[in-house]
Amino acid sequence: MSLIVMKFGGSSVGTTERMGRVAQRIIEKKLQGDRVVVVVSAMGDTTDDLIDKANEINDNPPSREMDMLLTTGEQISVALLSMAIHKLGHEAKSYTGWQAGIVTEDVHAKARISDISPDRVFAALNQGSIVIVAGFQGMTESGEITTLGRGGSDTTAVALAAAIKADVCEIYTDVDGIYSTDPRIVKCARKLNVISYDEMLELAHLGAAVLHPRAVEYAKHNKVNLVVRSSFTHNEGTLVREDAEMEQGVVVRGIAFDKNVARISVLGVEDLPGVLAKMFGALANQGIDVDIIVQSGVLDGKADFSFTVSLADRGRAIDVLAGIKNEVPYRETTYEEGLVKVSIVGAGMVSNPGVAAKMFEAISNVGVSIKLVSTSEIKVSCVISAEPVHDVVRALHTAYGLDTAETAFVGGPQDRR
Amino acid sequence: MSLIVMKFGGSSVGTTERMGRVAQRIIEKKLQGDRVVVVVSAMGDTTDDLIDKANEINDNPPSREMDMLLTTGEQISVALLSMAIHKLGHEAKSYTGWQAGIVTEDVHAKARISDISPDRVFAALNQGSIVIVAGFQGMTESGEITTLGRGGSDTTAVALAAAIKADVCEIYTDVDGIYSTDPRIVKCARKLNVISYDEMLELAHLGAAVLHPRAVEYAKHNKVNLVVRSSFTHNEGTLVREDAEMEQGVVVRGIAFDKNVARISVLGVEDLPGVLAKMFGALANQGIDVDIIVQSGVLDGKADFSFTVSLADRGRAIDVLAGIKNEVPYRETTYEEGLVKVSIVGAGMVSNPGVAAKMFEAISNVGVSIKLVSTSEIKVSCVISAEPVHDVVRALHTAYGLDTAETAFVGGPQDRR
């Protein structure tokens, strides 16, 4: 008998009919003899509809009141899911975040969970009930209703799993696991059976819609076993856990790529103390995330910088740079779009020399030139032109031996969207 | 500086635009220097929509889960209304029922308020904030979310007013007060400036959509001054309070009528011990409300009974009687539709003999015969044919001196719907 947390996202419960299928899925687990705690998001477009309504009334609503408003979305979900389970003849009880004992910092819109007192969850489990908890929400010590921000329901599930010492936290989604790369592009992309927290974080772009990085970090910190699996099939899914065992010869676990990249270069920057801090501080203040940063050598007291930002931030980034030209004198800015960042990820990389060299070689063999490079202990990223990216990903998939199925291939590209 | 509770129903906040008008109204009160607590119902059709969704999933959902579901309606209202007030530059804080300290019995769907701990309400008022509380809901001692059933938001408003010792509890609605009779029928129907709790309860049919009887009883018990007034005009409204002063010559305060009446007669009932208890017990068990009951004298050990029920219950009532014919032997049942119950209501009636006689005379002068009569200390009701009812109401309005305006007539029939 296991203690299991099952988390279902908004699209899994988007209609009353889907709600019924999820109820069935939960009951199957219960009938296996497991004790089950379910975390649910708001149904389909509920949250967006509520935000639209708020904006009709106030284009800048107080975040306290937004939290009051948005938390109703998950409360509706848990009540309806409980009704669906009752309809199928099983006992279930729904709880809001605060009823489940989820205490957060005194911050609205993006509170962090500070404590969980799962007394009522255990009491209901001990009565043989399925427990359904509203994701994304909690309460401050002083009784204010809060939300956890993006990825909130994943975080609720992981935090609850840690608090009740669940054997596993299953994240149900519309894909059946984490893949070695995007199966729409590489036909023989393999579903990974197991992956480490760190690798999962680096592969976020392959799993961003599936599993929020914040929840992965929480799971890593609290050693919660996470499983990503499909709510439509019974395939096994991908287990995310600490120190995933090294599989024979597996150095690179997966290949991620991000098509949403722009390069900005700032040329002829005067090499004064603090110019870098000023430049990137100004960008951060405008909420612009800078990814890879490269500085070429200083010549005649002038340096050239290049960095990448998401495509959507490109215009704003250049405006910010123009606005600080007095403080950070430079000659000119240039930019380049139509780029992609390809990354190889694997915890085994650190102890295997030559992994990066093999990447550069594979890319060069496809006749593609590398514009920027960035490395970490478990990742190498290269920025290249967008248009040959599929060839590059396929070449890397082959070069690192990922085409060889480690297990029977289950699920196909049609499951992924 | 007064402490005021303002209650707005679902139609007053049915759209985001109306929400803005209500916000304006609340701010006016605040700018007069009053401290304001607002109670709001769910917007327009929200509750019905949620019920429909629940029934799609489960035709007999557990009442605990219905309460979880339905309380989101008011939570949405309070959050949006708070945003609307902020938009107009004033401070407001929304609270769910449990946040406002509303404790109920441990019953779902129709809980009664057992206690209110308004600490947070006072704290927010002391910070200069407008306080907005979700109507219709509360929490049990053990932290379960409950609803108060029909008329719940009115009851929340009155109970909060009692708990915080508010100077007045204003019920905003789409009519501008309680009238001496239906102004659509009697042109010179007067809006009453003041009325007692008991009279208000008897006049429920003139104010049923305006003020729930349960809230009136709660107000009476706790001596809360209630005002019924329009959310669309600034007219003064009707004050409902204990022992409304006798106005000179005002014996009858108002004339109510109920077109929704059917008479059932049970003829030749064997006059055995307990037959009445069996007959009306069986009707009550089926949830059929019996209003006026008349027994004619016993002849040869057989009695005739007549009673009134609402038109909708007529068929079921006759079925119930057929079902108990073995226990309660009788010769036959007959029924009559197309009836109406006309009532005169006034606390001064008890000390004024001849009030009922004047009613019978006025009705007879219109050439109408009376089928059933029922009296209480502050009311006389007559059941008559439906079709002359408007003439009868007009005749009674004149006979009891109600045509004479006690104040300038404000508002017109067009305000009433």
Side-chain angles (χ1 to χ4, degrees), chain A residues 16 19 50 53-54 56-59 61-62 64-66 68-69 71-72 75-76 78-80 82-84 86-87 92-96 98-99 120 139 142-145, chain B residues 16 19 50 53-54 56-59 61-62 64-66 68-69 71-72 75-76 78-80 82-84 86-87 92-96 98-99 120 139 142-145:
Chain A
T16 50
M19 195 76 90
L50 289 171
K53 218 164 234 172
E56 270 177 48
I57 286 179
N58 188 330
D59 44 12
R64 178 190 187 278
E65 303 302 332
M66 277 307 274
M68 282 291 278
L69 182 68
T71 48
T72 62
Q75 189 171 329
I76 291 171
V78 293
L80 292 177
S82 175
M83 291 176 192
H86 278 266
K87 176 71 183 173
K93 276 192 169 163
S94 68
Y95 295 96
T96 62
W98 63 266
Q99 285 182 315
R120 301 185 68 186
M139 184 176 76
S142 63
E144 295 282 284
I145 292 174
Chain B
T16 51
M19 194 75 90
L50 290 171
K53 218 164 234 169
E56 270 177 48
I57 286 179
N58 187 330
D59 45 12
R64 179 190 186 276
E65 302 303 332
M66 276 307 274
M68 283 291 278
L69 182 69
T71 49
T72 62
Q75 189 170 329
I76 291 171
V78 293
L80 292 176
S82 176
M83 291 175 192
H86 278 266
K87 177 71 182 173
K93 277 192 168 162
S94 68
Y95 295 96
T96 61
W98 63 266
Q99 285 182 316
R120 301 184 69 185
M139 184 177 75
S142 63
E144 295 283 285
I145 292 175

Side-chain angles (χ1 to χ4, degrees), chain A residues 158-174:
Chain A
V158 172
L160 256 180
I164 66 176
K165 301 196 194 316
D167 297 288
V168 65
C169 176
E170 297 186 333
I171 308 288
Y172 285 81
T173 179
D174 47 10

Side-chain angles (χ1 to χ4, degrees), chain B residues 52-248:
Chain B
D52 288 349
K53 218 164 234 169
N55 287 336
E56 270 177 48
I57 286 179
N58 187 330
D59 45 12
N60 184 25
S63 57
R64 179 190 186 276
E65 302 303 332
M66 276 307 274
D67 282 358
M68 283 291 278
L69 182 69
L70 296 184
T71 49
T72 62
E74 282 75 20
Q75 189 170 329
I76 291 171
S77 280
V78 293
L80 292 176
L81 183 54
S82 176
M83 291 175 192
I85 291 172
H86 278 266
K87 177 71 182 173
L88 296 171
H90 289 261
E91 194 54 46
K93 277 192 168 162
S94 68
Y95 295 96
T96 61
W98 63 266
Q99 285 182 316
I102 296 173
V103 181
T104 73
E105 312 168 314
D106 195 4
V107 167
H108 288 288
K110 50 179 183 192
R112 279 196 287 204
I113 295 175
S114 53
D115 192 25
I116 298 188
S117 311
D119 312 4
R120 301 184 69 185
V121 171
F122 278 122
L125 285 174
N126 291 342
Q127 287 164 12
S129 198
I130 293 164
V131 172
I132 306 171
V133 177
F136 177 67
Q137 58 181 254
M139 184 177 75
T140 68
E141 297 273 0
S142 63
E144 295 283 285
I145 292 175
T146 52
T147 62
L148 309 181
R150 290 191 62 193
S153 287
D154 286 350
T155 306
T156 299
V158 172
L160 256 179
I164 65 174
K165 303 199 193 316
D167 297 288
V168 64
C169 176
E170 297 186 331
I171 308 287
Y172 284 81
T173 177
D174 47 11
V175 297
D176 62 358
I178 307 299
Y179 276 73
S180 59
T181 193
D182 190 331
R184 286 172 302 190
I185 284 155
V186 179
K187 253 195 195 156
C188 51
R190 289 178 303 111
K191 194 195 67 187
L192 303 174
N193 290 335
V194 65
I195 187 172
S196 71
Y197 299 119
D198 288 333
E199 289 169 332
M200 182 67 233
L201 285 170
E202 293 288 3
L203 285 173
H205 282 295
L206 293 181
V210 174
L211 197 50
H212 199 272
R214 187 175 158 197
V216 179
E217 280 169 18
Y218 201 108
K220 179 185 175 186
H221 189 71
N222 293 278
K223 301 190 174 54
V224 173
N225 288 327
L226 275 178
V227 170
V228 176
R229 60 189 305 184
S230 166
S231 51
F232 303 120
T233 74
H234 283 72
N235 297 338
E236 223 184 52
T238 299
L239 172 62
V240 189
R241 65 163 191 212
E242 206 179 20
D243 296 330
E245 279 149 28
M246 290 305 121
E247 283 148 277
Q248 201 63 29

